[in-house]
Amino acid sequence: MGVTQKLGDLGVVTTTLETAINWARTGATWPLLFGLACCAIEYMSTQGGRYDLARFGMELNRASPRQADLMIVAGRVTRKMAPVVRNLYDQMSNPKWVISMGDCASCGGVYNNYAVVQGVDEIIPVDVYVAGCPPRPEQLMHGILTLQEKIMGERIKEWA
Amino acid sequence: MAIDSALENKVTEWVGSVDDVKNLVSERAISGETMLLNLGPHHPSTHGVLRLLLELDGEEIVTCLPDVGFLHTGIEKTIESKSYEKGVTCTDRMDYLAPMSNNTAFCMAVEKLVGLDVPERAQVMRVICLELTRIQSHLVWLGTHAIDLGAMSVFLYCFREREKILDLFEMISGQRMMGSYMRPGGVWRDFPAEFVPGVETFLDEFPSRIDDYELLLTTNPLWLDRTQGIGVVEPDVALAWGFSGPTLRGSGVNWDIRKAMPYLGYENYNFDVPLGEHGDVYDRYLCRIREMRESIKIIRQALQRLPGAKGGFRSENRKFCPPPRAELGQSMEAVIHHFKLWTEGFAAPDQEVYVAIESPRGEIGCYLHGTGGNKPRRVHFKTPSFMHIQGIPLMSEGHMIADLVAVIGSVDIVLGDCDR
Amino acid sequence: MNVKPALDPVESVREAFPAALLDVVEYAGETTLVVEAAQLPRVSRYLRDTAGLIYNFLSDISAVDYYEPTGGISGRPARFGVSYHLYSMLYNRRLRVKVYVDEGDDESKPVVPTVVNVWPAANWLEREASDMMGIVFEGNPDQRRLLMPDDWQGHPHRRDYPLGYETIQFSFNAEEIMKHKPFAKE
């Protein structure tokens, strides 16, 4: 990036605190190692060699919700699983974001029935929805980039 | 005494069940001598949303109580509200590592119920897809199983090869994973021109890739220590508990539905059924690795068979299979069939059938009961993971916690398959 | 190894349990023995242990509900049917054993005796059927629900249980639905 050019001889960069914080947050959003169904397999593919999620500073999956910033709800959320998902979300420390990956997590998908929660946004707040059943890795990456854009636009006065 | 009663309350509170957990764990847990530990449903090594309630004596597992249903999606009930052709789409997401096997089981049940014949060419095409599915499912199994036991790099290699198979699936169905490619009476469309050369390229390079995996694992002393003698199942126990597929064959029981009750013309292919001897994690691993090599043999034979196979890619019976798009402009009959099939579907008799095929995990059976109308009365899937998760306590009790992870990995469970 | 030649399951069961065998159905090459529910464990043990039959592998237990939305039970002797899919590894053939069981009134539930003692694999399959269809398998060591949450009301796979359908959003009704849709807060 342009940091080295801007540094010049002075060794000083001027920016706003907001931009610096947001920049730091986008580059290292650690996702929670959390898979529910089919989409989790595509999520694994995204982490595999060909798509290489590490390019976005996201190769480090944390199994503990305490250490994670991003929850990728990959798969259908059932009524039995819903309290668990909410519990995990509550345990994550702020700031935290949620990507709802796939049709089932976003709106119930093909399973409009008694067992499936019709959209994970009924139980946790969602930042980015990714469509597809399951979404291709490219789609998930697009969702992640969209989230990074969203994080870049966050204002300190809204959360501090 | 106060501690005892407090603990007792705590235990019942945890499970939140009408039943008392006291009947399910040993008495030592109630006195506090052993520890109760909840593993899952969010746990990386349970391959999905499996919850296990463990009673531990130090590191040793005394009791293991699986709790499933966290992925119960109501797929069977959903299919009951759809016509037979639309039901195929729902079956994909059941065992999401082997969608083609689910599709085929359901389609074969529909075909059996209504008495629909599948052309020879469609059968060969199905065999090619099923065996590719078997390979890609085993690749995911190998990658995740290895990662659970601490071998990270195998995962990356396995997914590299899996991507190539997914590319092939995308060629034929337009979707990487959930293709819904099988339809009652055959398959959705013919193979595109670039598919067969693509499969041949894959088959040429894949055997050397299996050699690579084996080089990393098969004789690796760490791998042997983690897998040999772990989770042993005796053949008669495996049978009594309804195990199937590589989990059963790892115990040395020679039962492969492709050989025992051939379907889709599997009797015409020349392949072996790999068997284990000891029934431990390592033998199940070897069985699956060898199965991939056998699948390559089958696909090669199927590719040779494909040009000479009679018939089209789908049955010509217009009562059950829609006419090709091109006919719609010329034939009134085609328009009527098309309209009838896509608005209300076809009717099936009020009878029941059961069809079982060999999925990568074992016997996947589809029980289908018609109503006489266009929707099924009951669809029920017998899924291998369901039986295997039932058997996890059998394999893991008496072992260490770390070995439980090896056991879970070795039976290759998919929770979508189990809970449906 | 001396293998006894295969026996015809229909004839054998008819001979051994003349009163218990209610009906035999053949469809699409599959044989179904309809037996009396109370006699099921004895018939199962007979099918498993008799030389010439040896149905040692239980593939599946499927419960089916013959309830019709228009009333009645679709020409079957009782509302619920439970199909046991057996497989004989020795003789390489399948057999379906089926029992019919009535709905029961408000207090009682449909009851089928368990076959866990015959095939241990039946344990979870029976629990699933009792969870989804509300059929009680008498003698099953574990009567908890298997797939649905413990506090779930009703049995989802019964035909009179609603699918739980939610209205799908299209552009013309999206706003109306969004007004009522519950959204989670932080």
Side-chain angles (χ1 to χ4, degrees):
Chain A
M1 212 182 92
V3 177
T4 39
Q5 293 162 8
K6 282 183 187 169
L7 274 176
D9 294 334
L10 286 170
V12 174
V13 173
T14 54
T15 179
T16 58
L17 182 61
E18 207 166 66
T19 321
I21 290 177
N22 286 343
W23 172 76
R25 281 178 175 178
T26 49
T29 6
W30 290 356
L32 180 66
L33 183 50
F34 177 57
L36 289 169
C38 342
C39 293
I41 307 296
E42 278 303 62
Y43 178 45
M44 277 154 70
S45 292
T46 319
Q47 298 212 312
R50 186 190 279 188
Y51 294 99
D52 195 11
L53 201 56
R55 289 177 290 161
F56 308 106
M58 301 190 54
E59 79 279 21
L60 198 59
N61 276 305
R62 302 313 301 189
S64 162
R66 294 287 187 206
Q67 300 164 348
D69 311 303
L70 170 65
M71 181 190 239
I72 298 183
V73 185
R76 48 207 184 232
V77 184
T78 61
R79 305 248 176 240
K80 193 171 180 179
M81 192 64 192
V84 184
V85 175
R86 178 72 211 191
N87 202 347
L88 284 170
Y89 177 79
D90 286 342
Q91 287 179 67
M92 285 163 65
S93 50
N94 273 323
K96 53 189 171 185
W97 298 277
V98 176
I99 291 182
S100 156
M101 179 185 181
D103 286 349
C104 298
S106 302
C107 66
V110 276
Y111 300 113
N112 195 349
N113 63 18
Y114 63 95
V116 178
V117 176
Q118 299 298 306
V120 73
D121 49 11
E122 289 183 11
I123 49 170
I124 54 175
V126 176
D127 293 283
V128 176
Y129 299 87
V130 182
C133 190
R136 300 175 55 89
E138 290 94 333
Q139 281 172 290
L140 176 62
M141 278 189 243
H142 181 253
I144 286 168
L145 291 174
T146 314
L147 179 74
Q148 294 193 343
E149 254 171 53
K150 184 179 174 176
I151 297 174
M152 278 310 283
E154 280 186 0
R155 308 295 303 270
I156 278 191
K157 64 176 185 192
E158 279 165 16
W159 51 266
Chain B
M1 285 319 282
I3 297 170
D4 276 4
S5 61
L7 189 72
E8 227 165 278
N9 290 338
K10 193 78 179 232
V11 167
T12 28
E13 207 179 278
W14 265 4
V15 175
S17 153
V18 280
D19 252 40
D20 201 344
V21 75
K22 276 192 291 187
N23 303 329
L24 301 171
V25 297
S26 77
E27 281 183 7
R28 295 195 293 162
I30 308 302
S31 68
E33 194 185 332
T34 55
M35 187 175 73
L36 290 181
L37 180 77
N38 180 46
L39 189 76
H42 158 66
H43 193 276
S45 71
T46 50
H47 292 253
V49 284
L50 170 66
R51 176 175 169 240
L52 297 167
L53 182 65
L54 302 175
E55 184 195 345
L56 300 172
D57 182 3
E59 280 276 305
E60 197 178 293
I61 298 168
V62 182
T63 319
C64 169
L65 295 168
D67 181 7
V68 296
F70 289 96
L71 206 56
H72 175 68
T73 320
I75 289 178
E76 290 162 6
K77 182 102 177 168
T78 309
I79 298 177
E80 283 160 30
S81 71
K82 293 185 188 305
S83 66
Y84 290 95
E85 174 128 2
K86 290 175 187 166
V88 177
T89 318
C90 294
T91 59
D92 275 300
R93 280 110 187 131
M94 210 167 55
D95 177 354
Y96 39 79
L97 289 181
M100 299 269 191
S101 304
N102 306 339
N103 287 344
T104 312
F106 181 72
C107 290
M108 282 172 65
V110 174
E111 286 151 11
K112 195 170 182 183
L113 186 65
V114 299
L116 178 61
D117 284 330
V118 182
E120 197 190 333
R121 181 177 168 83
Q123 295 195 3
V124 177
M125 289 165 84
R126 279 184 178 182
V127 167
I128 294 173
C129 294
L130 284 176
E131 295 306 319
L132 282 174
T133 303
R134 192 179 310 279
I135 293 177
Q136 66 99 359
S137 168
H138 283 352
L139 283 174
V140 178
W141 156 78
L142 183 62
T144 49
H145 186 31
I147 219 173
D148 284 348
L149 297 184
M152 171 80 194
S153 49
V154 182
F155 169 81
L156 295 170
Y157 293 129
C158 287
F159 269 70
R160 181 184 61 190
E161 263 67 69
R162 182 171 178 268
E163 289 293 335
K164 288 173 186 158
I165 299 185
L166 292 187
D167 283 350
L168 294 171
F169 283 167
E170 197 178 351
M171 258 181 222
I172 57 174
S173 69
Q175 246 270 33
R176 278 159 57 88
M177 284 168 71
M178 310 300 169
S180 301
Y181 186 59
M182 310 292 172
R183 301 293 163 92
V187 297
W188 178 54
R189 293 212 177 145
D190 211 345
F191 287 151
E194 62 269 36
F195 177 75
V196 172
V199 176
E200 275 163 358
T201 322
F202 173 76
L203 292 183
D204 287 340
E205 63 172 31
F206 189 57
S208 67
R209 308 293 190 191
I210 305 182
D211 295 341
D212 286 353
Y213 313 144
E214 289 222 67
L215 201 64
L216 283 166
L217 295 175
T218 305
T219 50
N220 182 336
L222 288 174
W223 183 258
L224 295 178
D225 276 356
R226 288 297 304 271
T227 55
Q228 278 185 334
I230 306 293
V232 178
V233 191
E234 298 297 328
D236 50 338
V237 177
L239 273 179
W241 284 85
F243 291 2
S244 50
T247 313
L248 180 66
R249 293 194 285 273
S251 299
V253 181
N254 188 353
W255 186 53
D256 186 324
I257 303 177
R258 290 175 294 175
K259 284 275 187 202
M261 303 187 130
Y263 53 94
L264 298 178
Y266 266 112
E267 65 272 23
N268 304 324
Y269 298 92
N270 177 24
F271 65 100
D272 296 326
V273 179
L275 294 178
E277 286 170 23
H278 311 99
D280 58 0
V281 174
Y282 184 68
D283 279 17
R284 293 196 276 274
Y285 155 79
L286 282 184
C287 273
R288 288 203 176 87
I289 290 276
R290 288 186 197 141
E291 256 185 27
M292 289 202 272
R293 295 190 195 275
E294 296 302 321
S295 290
I296 295 173
K297 267 163 67 179
I298 298 174
I299 299 172
R300 276 195 202 284
Q301 293 169 42
L303 285 180
Q304 279 173 3
R305 211 173 280 265
L306 189 63
K310 284 194 272 305
F313 59 91
R314 200 167 174 185
S315 164
E316 295 285 319
N317 190 339
R318 293 282 169 253
K319 295 286 171 225
F320 302 106
C321 303
R325 198 78 208 170
E327 269 181 33
L328 291 187
Q330 295 150 11
S331 153
M332 192 59 214
E333 208 180 339
V335 176
I336 294 170
H337 283 140
H338 184 269
F339 180 76
K340 287 279 275 183
L341 281 172
W342 291 115
T343 48
E344 60 172 47
F346 51 83
D350 189 0
Q351 292 286 354
E352 53 193 336
V353 291
Y354 179 79
V355 171
I357 67 165
E358 183 82 15
S359 94
R361 267 155 215 89
E363 179 199 21
I364 178 163
C366 179
Y367 170 81
L368 188 63
H369 199 310
T371 52
N374 60 345
K375 288 171 185 169
R377 179 188 303 285
R378 178 87 171 108
V379 186
H380 183 259
F381 285 98
K382 176 260 157 98
T383 49
S385 301
F386 189 77
M387 311 306 263
H388 295 157
I389 293 176
Q390 182 176 207
I392 283 179
L394 218 72
M395 296 183 236
S396 60
E397 281 170 9
H399 284 298
M400 303 288 172
I401 290 195
D403 298 333
L404 174 71
V405 176
V407 167
I408 293 174
S410 77
V411 296
D412 192 12
I413 56 168
V414 167
L415 265 293
D417 191 29
C418 170
D419 299 345
R420 306 180 295 281
Chain C
M1 193 171 68
N2 263 335
V3 177
K4 208 182 161 198
L7 296 174
D8 179 22
V10 182
E11 290 310 315
S12 313
V13 172
R14 185 170 284 150
E15 213 166 280
F17 304 94
L21 186 66
L22 303 178
D23 196 7
V24 178
V25 183
E26 291 273 349
Y27 182 75
E30 295 181 5
T31 312
T32 309
L33 304 181
V34 182
V35 302
E36 201 183 315
Q39 296 290 323
L40 179 69
R42 287 181 60 211
V43 175
S44 306
R45 200 167 276 278
Y46 174 80
L47 285 171
R48 189 194 70 175
D49 292 342
T50 310
L53 297 174
I54 314 286
Y55 286 95
N56 58 344
F57 188 85
L58 178 70
S59 269
D60 189 16
I61 297 178
S62 311
V64 51
D65 184 358
Y66 289 102
Y67 170 87
E68 287 291 330
T70 48
I73 45 169
S74 174
R76 294 300 200 284
R79 180 173 165 183
F80 294 106
V82 185
S83 298
Y84 296 75
H85 297 100
L86 314 180
Y87 176 70
S88 165
M89 219 151 273
L90 195 56
Y91 301 108
N92 191 23
R93 56 182 179 172
R94 290 185 186 276
L95 177 72
R96 183 186 296 118
V97 177
K98 189 163 185 179
V99 300
Y100 285 102
V101 55
D102 251 325
E103 185 178 2
D105 49 27
D106 289 343
E107 278 107 54
S108 67
K109 285 184 159 183
V111 178
V112 178
T114 181
V115 291
V116 166
N117 308 325
V118 187
W119 299 283
N123 190 346
W124 273 27
L125 291 166
E126 285 182 353
R127 274 179 72 190
E128 190 206 354
S130 84
D131 185 356
M132 291 301 160
M133 284 288 183
I135 297 167
V136 176
F137 287 87
E138 205 170 27
N140 188 312
D142 200 345
Q143 300 275 357
R144 294 174 302 157
R145 274 183 181 271
L146 183 69
L147 295 177
M148 301 309 290
D150 286 321
D151 53 355
W152 194 267
Q153 298 286 320
H155 303 284
H157 284 185
R158 286 190 173 191
R159 296 273 285 173
D160 53 353
Y161 190 95
L163 181 62
Y165 190 81
E166 267 184 34
T167 326
I168 302 171
Q169 287 180 11
F170 293 103
S171 45
F172 71 91
N173 61 358
E175 280 180 18
E176 189 57 34
I177 290 172
M178 289 306 256
K179 257 185 242 167
H180 306 296
K181 197 173 160 76
F183 275 109
K185 301 281 181 309
E186 277 279 322

